[in-house]
Amino acid sequence: MAKHRVMIYGWFERLWHWLQALFIIILMVTGFETHSSYTLFGYETAVRIHEITARAFILLILLAIFWHVTTGEWRQYQPKGERSMVRQGQYYAFGIFKGEDHPYRKSELQKLNPMQKATYLGFKILIVPVMVFTGLIYMYYDWWTSVVPTIGLTILAAIHTIGAFALVIFLIIHVYMTTTGEKPATNITAMITGYEEIEEVPDVEPASV
Amino acid sequence: MASRGRFTQRVLILLALVAAALFVVAAGATGQTETAAQEDESVPVSEQPVSTPRERSDATANHSEFEILQQDFATGPDLTAACLTCHTEAAKQMQATTHWTWDNHFGEGIGKTTQVNNFCIGIQSNEPRCTSCHTGYGWADNTFDFTIEENVDCVVCHDTTSTYKKFPTAAGHPAYEPTEFLGKTWEPPDLTLIAQNVGKTTRETCGSCHFYGGGGEGVKHGDLTKDLFDPPREIDVHMSADGADMTCSDCHRGNNHQINGSSVYMSASDEGGIDLPFDDGDRSTCQSCHGDTPMESRKLNEHADKVACQTCHIPKLARGESYTKAWWDWSTAGKFDANGDPITTFDEAGNVSYTTKKGDFVWERNYIPDYVWFNGIVNATIAGDPVVLNEDGVMELNAYAGSYDDEFSRIYPVKAFRGIQPIDGGNNTIALPHLFGKDDAAYWKSYDWNLALEAGMAVAGADYAAAEGVPYSGEVGWLETVFNEPATHMVAPAEDAVECGACHSRDSVIASIGGFYMPGRDGGAYDWLLWGLVALTLLIVLGHGVMRFASAKRRSS
């Protein structure tokens, strides 16, 4: 079948993705230092970088929410149902070793496979909000405690820490999964250049979102 | 706030640069380049030399011109009588202060008069030795009349000649004729010279007692040693000539001879903030000058609701040349050498490590203080109090009150002075030995603890003047005790403050301070499980990758 280069990820989406990646890695490195997992910058500097990056990340999140809503891209994350998930799961568990084709084709209208949809949705509506809210209460703890009763720092810190570990696990799987494209670098190249070689699917109607 | 301040600072610097550039252009135009003036401008105000209070003579009276001071004074009280002819209210004022009463620090009649510590235990029955640091003359026992005005010692605080010295065992009197003490001859001071040169208190007058508490230099306080007579900036940023060049009384101010700031009637927090123009009656705190939010970062300012300034800004105790006593074991006292002579040994640094009179000592220098929750309330122990052990099996003789939940409490640095002291073993109560004296019961005379405790307890009691003695079983016991001294002097320059990571780490210096969650110190209990999950993920991902690679290879071959 014929292939042609299609712009899959627009400039903002790519900027958003890579800034988000950068911020999360900085937050991770400084956050685990704050958690005393190692010493790198020194506690005070680590906290300072962590707080500045957190503020920048929140700004980026607000921009990204605006982008998702105004472009309608939020629809990319609507779950597709259990059966499609199972199919995608079976592919990663078995089909991928037999050289089978990906069960779902990528297009401008459907950038994400069912498992990606579910994972990223969970990332967007669960992990990130939890990290942002616990982080904000943590950062301004003295102010919060003087205004409204908050949960104790023990629980707050525990949730924030568990979220951080969840993000580490997400990052490992996410980076690995990028290698499962046609060639190991296909997906990552697409996220850098925005373009991907996509098989022509005649019956797909032009994008009108 | 901080960033706005920094922004303003940048704008000001920019303006200053523009102004400087204009100045240079203007000076160049008129052919007068004033390099020196430019250099002066570039020096921040804080680093420019300032005239110190001591350099400015602001006295309105020259005491050497007063007729009543043109005489030979036979005794200290004679000198005081002369002072009082003009300063009619001074002695009355002094007699209302704790410098005079050594009492009522706690508002319940308990003070230095009856409180027990683990240095020389207590003053009752040992007065003439202890009261060599009393601002008076003649306090030899509990019959001392605290109302006689001539017995106030004016010049111990107001001497400016550095020649006035109270004799160590004369109940507050100086030597009136050459007198020997521990192999050294004490010459009588020239009271006339001293009287004609009185002035404000100095580091030397305050330090002559406060740097020598506990019977010797540096013994009692790790933050008050003779290093403070002329400290380098890194030892005391306030008192150093290269720092603010302040004297004791710049912080410990007061009216009517009532000096602010006491180590037994303390404030761990000062919500009153800056004390000008309205004095909140607590003028010797950090906040009195620095206010409530002196830090550059919001987060550091927020720490102040639970952490005392001292905790971060006094990184170590005894940071100068002097050592401070950290351990005192009375139970080993009383040993003699083969000839029957008393023994004195020294440690590697030259500090006395054993004497027959006092037992074993350990001296420390430049060491990390202990930290406690402290709300300013210091408890006192007196002779006859029951032995109460803490969880470490040690008795806290002046337990500092406080907890995380108490809004007036702060994490506070202390010199926790530890030692082993004699007690009433039969009654399991705190005892007070009679150490000093020419009588046979005195321990330093006969080296008999039983006699010493019996004699000490016979005159001990909660009501100092009317003490009728405390029951003593006749059985000597030994008890490990700890006595806190607050660490509040020897404030280091900001750049030497304790690093955040000293507390916020798994081996935190405040590991023992409980009641709350601290980032970096706490919360690592389940790390093994969470890192285990990360490792498991890595394994799965690696395994998956290897299988993909292997299967692809098999298919292609």
Side-chain angles (χ1 to χ4, degrees), chain B residues 364-384:
Chain B
E364 299 278 0
R365 172 167 86 164
N366 206 28
Y367 70 110
I368 295 173
D370 282 41
Y371 300 93
V372 294
W373 278 118
F374 184 37
N375 59 13
I377 296 172
V378 181
N379 294 295
T381 298
I382 60 171

Side-chain angles (χ1 to χ4, degrees), chain B residues 231-285:
Chain B
R233 188 169 169 276
E234 58 271 24
I235 291 178
D236 193 307
V237 74
H238 294 114
M239 293 180 77
S240 173
D242 300 324
D245 202 15
M246 292 162 75
T247 62
C248 309
S249 63
D250 286 330
C251 293
H252 294 280
R253 301 194 71 81
N255 297 320
N256 305 332
H257 285 94
Q258 289 285 359
I259 312 294
N260 249 266
S262 153
S263 69
V264 284
Y265 197 76
M266 286 197 64
S267 50
S269 58
D270 180 3
E271 308 280 341
I274 292 177
D275 283 53
L276 288 171
F278 303 110
D279 189 343
D280 65 4
D282 199 4
R283 281 172 78 164
S284 53
T285 64

